[in-house]
Amino acid sequence: MPTRARLTPAIADVRRAVREAWMRHGVVSGDRILVACSGGADSLALAAASVFEGSRIGVLVGAVIVEHGLQPETKAVAEATAKTLTELGASPVEVRAVKVAKTKAGGPEAAARTARYAALDAAADELGAKFVMLAHTLNDQAETVLLGLARGSGNRSLNAMAEVNGRYLRPLLGFERQTTVAFCEDSGLNAWHDPQNKDNKFARVRARQNVMPVLESELGPGIAQALARTADQLREDEAVLAPMAQDFFDRFVSLKATTIEIALAQFEAAPLAIRHRVIAMALTVLQAPEFARVHIRAIDALVDEWHGQKPLSLPGVRVERTARHIVLKTAKTLKPGAC
């Protein structure tokens, strides 16, 4: 059983992050909070800090361990983690086994993430949790931005993770991974070191192990913090632009059985930032299998660079300009209320 830890800077920082996040988002006595815990240093530190803070103010803190079954040792790790969390005072502590779909879309990381969030959502629904706490750190944030830059994914990817997103709460985005490692060491907690976190077949691992150290070496320290600040700034912009794009979509975009029509006159007058978002929304509704900025710009060119060109044939979508509309057509029937 973990011994009572003396208060160190790392322990104080993580506990304070939890306490302040709860205050910002209205967590009060009697609320149930779940912590998603893999057994790694980040989530183990978050769980321990949450249990401690919860015991002080009457917040009911439980934990969910999602066992993906992708490695031989993960079942034993899940059982050991559950024992540690129970000894810390988390209740309930549940291990949820999931089956990760074999799909090429997004690779194994994306498939595991989809299965994990489905399990966490189910647990939150069944247990009546106000929030599910996730242990993403500043390093995770920086890696997400770096990968988004490499893929040219646009603002939605580059603004990375928000502290709160629906039922998910991330209190540790302002702290580097070394803080959670120190928390566990100072608390006498044995964190699991996932071998996949060092496997270079994963893009995120390559960014962490190969790219970030080079950037730090060549450009100076503070790269992770700078990337995280970039995410914060872009998130502020997205908070304004996304509702504007949604408003345009609601007012000037018509959904029919297999087509989306964008009113040309209003679309032509809209800023590029809004036009590009509206096109991306339309392609999402049409379930275009793959689309990137090159496809969005090709569609937008039908507005400003129109000279009678033939309809565009993009992945899963046909696009043409008529006298009054930009028309996107798919072979699939659109679902009502798709956007």
Side-chain angles (χ1 to χ4, degrees):
M1 178 175 179
T3 58
R4 183 176 178 85
R6 64 185 177 84
L7 188 64
T8 65
I11 292 175
D13 284 344
V14 177
R15 287 177 179 175
R16 185 177 64 254
V18 169
R19 183 168 64 249
E20 292 178 351
W22 285 357
M23 291 174 63
R24 281 192 295 274
H25 301 292
V27 176
V28 297
S29 178
D31 285 339
R32 180 173 297 284
I33 301 294
L34 295 177
V35 181
C37 190
S38 66
D42 297 342
S43 59
L44 200 55
L46 178 61
S50 299
V51 169
F52 177 85
E53 292 297 326
S55 69
R56 297 178 67 194
I57 64 171
V59 172
L60 309 174
V61 178
V64 180
I65 303 156
V66 180
E67 205 280 281
H68 300 85
L70 296 176
Q71 302 174 69
E73 67 269 35
T74 54
K75 184 176 180 180
V77 169
E79 291 172 353
T81 301
K83 183 174 184 292
T84 297
L85 294 173
T86 300
E87 291 173 348
L88 286 169
S91 180
V93 176
E94 297 195 358
V95 177
R96 300 215 169 190
V98 297
K99 186 173 182 179
V100 178
K102 293 182 178 180
T103 174
K104 293 183 179 180
E109 290 174 288
R113 183 168 56 249
T114 297
R116 180 166 61 253
Y117 277 98
L120 294 174
D121 281 335
D125 288 339
E126 292 167 20
L127 297 171
K130 182 168 186 174
F131 285 113
V132 177
M133 307 265 279
L134 302 177
H136 296 115
T137 65
L138 184 145
N139 301 85
D140 296 309
Q141 189 79 301
E143 291 157 11
T144 299
V145 176
L146 187 61
L147 290 170
L149 284 169
R151 294 165 179 159
S153 304
N155 270 28
R156 182 164 292 185
S157 174
L158 296 184
N159 66 29
M161 296 173 283
E163 179 180 76
V164 64
N165 182 10
R167 66 169 25 134
Y168 291 100
L169 182 59
R170 300 177 176 90
L172 302 185
L173 289 176
F175 294 94
E176 293 185 65
R177 194 165 287 125
Q178 63 191 34
T179 301
T180 63
V181 171
F183 182 108
C184 291
E185 291 175 350
D186 296 344
S187 302
L189 296 172
N190 295 317
W192 179 50
H193 300 285
D194 186 348
Q196 288 193 344
N197 287 336
K198 293 187 178 296
D199 189 339
N200 271 326
K201 73 179 180 182
F202 299 111
R204 184 173 289 273
V205 174
R206 294 195 298 275
R208 180 184 308 146
Q209 293 190 155
N210 304 337
V211 180
M212 290 294 291
V214 171
L215 292 175
E216 292 276 354
S217 173
E218 296 298 324
L219 301 179
I223 293 299
Q225 292 86 343
L227 288 169
R229 286 196 301 274
T230 298
D232 291 339
Q233 293 163 5
L234 288 170
R235 196 177 307 109
E236 292 168 0
D237 293 344
E238 190 68 13
V240 175
L241 293 169
M244 292 173 65
Q246 184 66 59
D247 179 66
F248 185 100
F249 197 98
D250 293 341
R251 294 170 62 195
F252 302 117
V253 177
S254 300
L255 278 64
K256 299 185 178 179
T258 59
T259 63
I260 289 179
E261 296 182 351
I262 305 173
L264 186 56
Q266 290 81 3
F267 195 62
E268 192 170 17
L272 279 177
I274 302 302
R275 284 178 13 191
H276 289 174
R277 281 169 171 77
V278 169
I279 292 171
M281 292 166 70
L283 290 171
T284 299
V285 172
L286 292 172
Q287 300 177 43
E290 294 180 15
F291 69 89
R293 182 168 173 79
V294 63
H295 301 127
I296 291 172
R297 292 191 64 179
I299 295 171
D300 192 76
L302 295 177
V303 180
D304 291 334
E305 300 173 29
W306 173 249
H307 46 77
Q309 58 262 51
K310 295 180 180 180
L312 298 172
S313 293
L314 303 179
V317 179
R318 184 174 183 271
V319 189
E320 64 178 343
R321 171 174 168 156
T322 66
R324 296 184 179 181
H325 297 95
I326 300 293
V327 181
L328 297 86
K329 184 176 179 63
T330 178
K332 302 174 183 177
T333 300
L334 304 185
K335 297 179 181 178
C339 189

